[in-house]
Amino acid sequence: MDFNGDQKLDVAVANLTGNTVSLLIGDGTGKYAAPVSIGFTGPSGLAVGDVNGDGKMDVLVTSTTNAVGVFLGSGAGTLAAATPPAVPVGANPLDLVLGDINGDTKLDLIATNLNDNTISIRLGNGNGTFGATATMATNAGPIGIALADLNADKFLDLVVANQTAGNASIYLGTGSGNFFSTPTTLTTAAGTRYVVVSDLNRDGLLDLAFTNFSANNLGVYLGNGQGSFAGVTGSTLFGTGANPIGIAAGDFNGDGNQDLVASDFSAATLTLLLATEQCK
């Protein structure tokens, strides 16, 4: 994201043990200035978007205080706490997403709450504040979360990675600010942590990939465009380093295919999986 309007990509970071949120301003050559930080207790998951409608990127961060901090961007590479500075959610939120789930063009907030096995939904008012909390139950141990239109009905759907259950929950969106309460459950592997949504086989349909912390692998599941997913023919699971957590998709070698990269917590490494051919 560009936090200072120079058309160069910058980085936002949640520093859990440092109790800060930092911006690192990029110079366009792969180098970054020293971090500009603002204090916040126990930050973890982070999302970026314009939540107050001023055309500048803001940062929202989950906290160990059972809240999501809202930091408004100045457009000059700095952040300031909103009023109020934090939005209450459930117990121990670890990840969050922003998206317009009710069609009013304002960004809404959804957070996963690890300790009470729920997600919190708070609809955005468009001025940096959010409405009352709606809560939905998940499977055990929700952590990673993603929003995308998985069934081509123009409404955003929700994917939640459930670490304790070793599966993922797929909630189809209604377009009115909520989701159908009965999810589709996708069996993944032990310790499913985070999810990325991308077209991994170039068929124009969105697919899912998950990191599996305890299984030391990541799983790939191909979408049918109707909200259902199936494993890749031959092998659904691909090995990583020890205890993968974060995951991202992108074309890292310029061949037009979406590759995957995972951060391996215990190994202190990155695992890069290049898509050598179209997934089947």
Side-chain angles (χ1 to χ4, degrees):
M1 291 292 181
D2 180 7
F3 289 102
N4 64 342
D6 64 357
Q7 299 183 351
K8 300 169 184 175
L9 291 179
D10 309 311
V11 174
V13 181
N15 307 301
L16 177 62
T17 58
N19 293 314
T20 58
V21 178
S22 300
L23 294 184
L24 292 83
I25 302 302
D27 66 2
T29 69
K31 298 178 181 179
Y32 295 86
V36 177
S37 301
I38 187 168
F40 187 61
T41 301
S44 179
L46 182 149
V48 175
D50 180 10
V51 298
N52 63 343
D54 65 355
K56 302 166 185 174
M57 289 295 102
D58 310 309
V59 176
L60 279 70
V61 188
T62 59
S63 167
T64 54
T65 62
N66 301 335
V68 171
V70 181
F71 299 94
L72 302 180
S74 65
T78 59
L79 299 172
T83 305
V87 178
V89 288
N92 194 16
L94 288 187
D95 201 12
L96 77 160
V97 286
L98 294 171
D100 179 12
I101 63 172
N102 63 341
D104 65 355
T105 72
K106 301 169 184 175
L107 289 179
D108 309 308
L109 160 66
I110 308 173
T112 52
N113 306 307
L114 177 66
N115 288 7
D116 56 13
N117 299 322
T118 63
I119 56 173
S120 295
I121 302 170
R122 301 198 60 158
L123 300 181
N125 296 318
N127 60 1
T129 66
F130 295 84
T133 302
T135 302
M136 290 183 63
T138 66
N139 288 330
I143 297 184
I145 190 170
L147 271 177
D149 181 6
L150 302 176
N151 61 345
D153 64 355
K154 302 187 187 306
F155 302 144
L156 289 177
D157 308 308
L158 189 68
V159 183
V160 178
N162 304 301
Q163 174 183 253
T164 306
N167 61 30
S169 303
I170 300 169
Y171 301 83
L172 298 181
T174 66
S176 58
N178 53 28
F179 300 89
F180 291 104
S181 58
T182 302
T184 298
T185 298
L186 180 65
T187 300
T188 51
T192 301
R193 281 286 185 100
Y194 287 96
V195 56
V196 66
V197 181
S198 183
D199 180 6
L200 299 175
N201 62 344
R202 300 176 68 179
D203 64 355
L205 306 175
L206 291 177
D207 310 307
L208 305 176
F210 300 88
T211 49
N212 300 309
F213 183 84
S214 304
N216 298 326
N217 59 35
L218 60 82
V220 176
Y221 302 85
L222 303 181
N224 65 1
Q226 300 174 1
S228 297
F229 296 84
V232 178
T233 300
S235 177
T236 294
L237 301 174
F238 301 86
T240 64
N243 303 131
I245 298 181
I247 186 170
D251 181 6
F252 296 110
N253 61 347
D255 65 356
N257 297 317
Q258 288 289 292
D259 310 308
L260 295 170
V261 61
S263 58
D264 309 316
F265 177 73
S266 296
T269 59
L270 295 175
T271 296
L272 177 61
L273 297 176
L274 298 178
T276 56
E277 62 180 27
Q278 182 171 312
C279 295
K280 302 297 185 183

